[in-house]
Amino acid sequence: MEFFDVLQSAFGLFATWQNVLVLGLGVVIGTFVGAIPGMTTPMAVALTLPFTFTLHPVTGILLLLGVYKGGIYGGSITAILINAPGTPAASCTVLDGYPLAKRGEARRALDIALYASCVADFISNISLILFAGVLAGFALAFGSPEVFTLIMFSLTIIAGVSGDQLLKGLGSAGLGLLLATIGLDLVYGTNRFVFGDVNLMSGLNFIPVLIGLFALPEIIAFYGRREIAREHNPLAGVGATFADFRRCLKTIIRGSFIGVILGAIPGIGGAPSAFLSYSEAKRTSKTPEKFGTGEIEGVAAAESGNNGVAGATMIPLLALGIPGDIITAIILGAFMIHGLRPGPLLFQDSLPLIYALFIGIMLSSIYLLIVGKISIRLISRVADIPHRLLFPVVLVLCVFGAYAVNNTIFDVFVMFVMGGVGFAMLRLNIPAAPFLIAFILGPLLEDNFRQSLLLSRGDWLIFFSSAICWVFWGLTALVIGFTVWSNVRRA
Amino acid sequence: MSTNWITRDVIAGALIVAIGLAFAFILIPIGVDEPRRVKYAALSPAYYPRIVAIILVVIGAAVVARAAFRPTETGSDSEAHPTAARRLLGISAILVAFATLLTPLGFIVASSLALFAAIRLAGEQRIHVNAAISVFLPVLLYFFFLKVARIPIPLGVLKPVLEGV
């Protein structure tokens, strides 16, 4: 079949009112669900899955893709407004998004998060369409040692988010790494810090830990303030300007490509990509000291990093039939329910269907912009609610959200305990961000470390066995060297 | 310069050391089930946590040493004010009571009580506004999670009233 014939058939498959409507509906559902702490994007996609059974394959898969993309953006809304990211991928957005909201610039932060998300999503979709084959091949070159060195490099961001508390930041990261080891050991299947409690066997869930560590201390600290008053900020209530967008554009494009590359590697996900993008933005910024205190570029970096992953995670799924994360695994399920098997054969047998999906995916970026703009107008008013009402409401929202993740009250207790830990860290000037980064990246680091040693039969040289490993070791050494040098100079 | 620098940094460092030591010598030996035969030491389930624990001890000691030799300036302690301290105590009591009452009373009742107390403590004087939010929000959240997200929220004492609605 000629290219234009395929394209014509694809348009024929896509151009139905159901597809156009369902895709928009998916983005709305995803944005809404992503904005609720505790309601994760995989949960939203899984809840939507049964509705796709009776739909045409293209319609059904587009609905799921809409939910997915909306969910990734939606997670940033609560991250910015109440310091509780709706999704793990949005965890990096809290670092600068919430300080901006605290200054009254929530609308500006939400706007930049939306623009960064849309641009990154668009770049990611284009990359999916144009470079699926090349990126799938590159992703296959990533084995355990390569992922281990990549995560080592990603962990260097800890130095960046620790500010002038580098030692305490490292201590905080160590605590996060230790907490991430709770649960069943993946290699031997033995217990680690479970102490007979079945709730601990699968480890601590990310969402209650995150809500406890970030949202609860903020609530407690609010009650500890001497005067509960707001400072006037001339930018309060004002959205992002074109100048803001232009200033962040380089960061957004860089973050998008980081997202595309990491998204194409199965098992990495949006959170490491957001942190890496943030780290690069800070490293190359003329005012790195402003990161973490409410820098608009920080929000742009985090959001472009995590949204850049959205289209790219479809690359290993469509090109190789490998789901890179839980969401793409659910989408793989949707394909299979409709009798389709993603992989090279799908490109041979059902090319018009693939192209119809590509058209829908491109349209989803536009939907994201429209839905985002409308939701920002409504949601940014949350920032105007008096704190004496907002913080108690957020507390109850956190409790319901923590419970909803696994339908277990244990997660609510974890959230409360982590709230206490987070508040103690706040009082002792121990930065919480390194804890969070280590907690997310820790399992990836350890799993790939041990898998590599299993593969090499204990030979540590496996971590230096490929060019990719050497590149990441080199980058890691460079960042550590630079950090030490700048600390020594400051001293 | 604030006088509490030494307390904060030394406490932070000492805590990090204590956690590292607790993991290395107590929690890892009793909490990690090591298989009888491990092919390579690095594959043991205790290997990675042990390394992290040792690193924690070193970092904690460095924090203490730094605090002792090179004190850093810290900001004033806003929580030292009596009103703020009272409010802090109040919210801590609300959180403990909230966590304790969740199971016996259920999410709606426990949340309503906690919300009412927390809003009052934050300074909202209008009882009708406080009561309206405290009643409607938990009920709204309950029905949202039940009907939209299909997640049943524990009802506790309201089970006979709301079950089946």
Side-chain angles (χ1 to χ4, degrees), chain B residues 39-113:
Chain B
K39 260 188 173 178
Y40 320 105
L43 284 181
S44 161
Y47 183 81
Y48 173 84
R50 194 171 285 132
I51 287 182
V52 179
I54 292 166
I55 292 172
L56 261 187
V57 174
V58 175
I59 291 170
V63 172
V64 175
R66 191 175 192 273
F69 292 112
R70 291 199 31 214
T72 50
E73 211 168 325
T74 56
S76 65
D77 200 351
S78 65
E79 285 79 3
H81 193 269
T83 320
R86 219 172 22 243
R87 271 202 300 263
L88 259 184
L89 264 177
I91 191 65
S92 306
I94 290 171
L95 291 177
V96 171
F98 195 4
T100 315
L101 294 174
L102 264 176
T103 310
L105 294 186
F107 274 54
I108 296 181
V109 177
S111 300
S112 291
L113 294 174

Side-chain angles (χ1 to χ4, degrees), chain A residues 263-303:
Chain A
I265 304 165
I268 300 287
S273 166
F275 283 121
L276 198 58
S277 166
Y278 185 87
S279 165
E280 282 307 294
K282 184 174 179 180
R283 199 178 54 79
T284 53
S285 170
K286 284 176 187 160
T287 52
E289 71 284 354
K290 285 188 178 169
F291 278 68
T293 62
E295 169 61 55
I296 201 90
E297 232 180 305
V299 177
E303 279 303 298

Side-chain angles (χ1 to χ4, degrees), chain B residues 123-137:
Chain B
E124 176 58 60
Q125 301 298 325
R126 294 165 299 173
I127 297 281
H128 62 284
V129 173
N130 190 347
I133 296 172
S134 304
V135 172
F136 284 114
L137 182 77

Side-chain angles (χ1 to χ4, degrees), chain A residues 99-121:
Chain A
L100 275 166
K102 260 178 39 176
R103 291 208 307 248
E105 296 173 39
R107 180 121 191 230
R108 190 166 164 239
L110 286 167
D111 271 348
I112 265 308
L114 176 67
Y115 301 149
S117 300
C118 290
V119 172
D121 188 52

Side-chain angles (χ1 to χ4, degrees), chain A residues 306-360:
Chain A
N306 75 40
N307 279 272
V309 166
T313 46
M314 297 296 290
I315 292 171
L317 177 71
L318 290 176
L320 306 165
I322 303 168
D325 55 17
I326 305 167
I327 299 167
T328 42
I330 298 168
I331 295 173
L332 174 68
F335 270 100
M336 292 166 83
I337 285 161
H338 290 285
L340 300 163
R341 174 80 213 177
L345 276 180
L346 192 70
F347 278 82
Q348 271 180 28
D349 302 337
S350 313
L351 203 53
L353 183 133
I354 299 272
Y355 277 39
L357 289 177
F358 285 167
I359 296 166

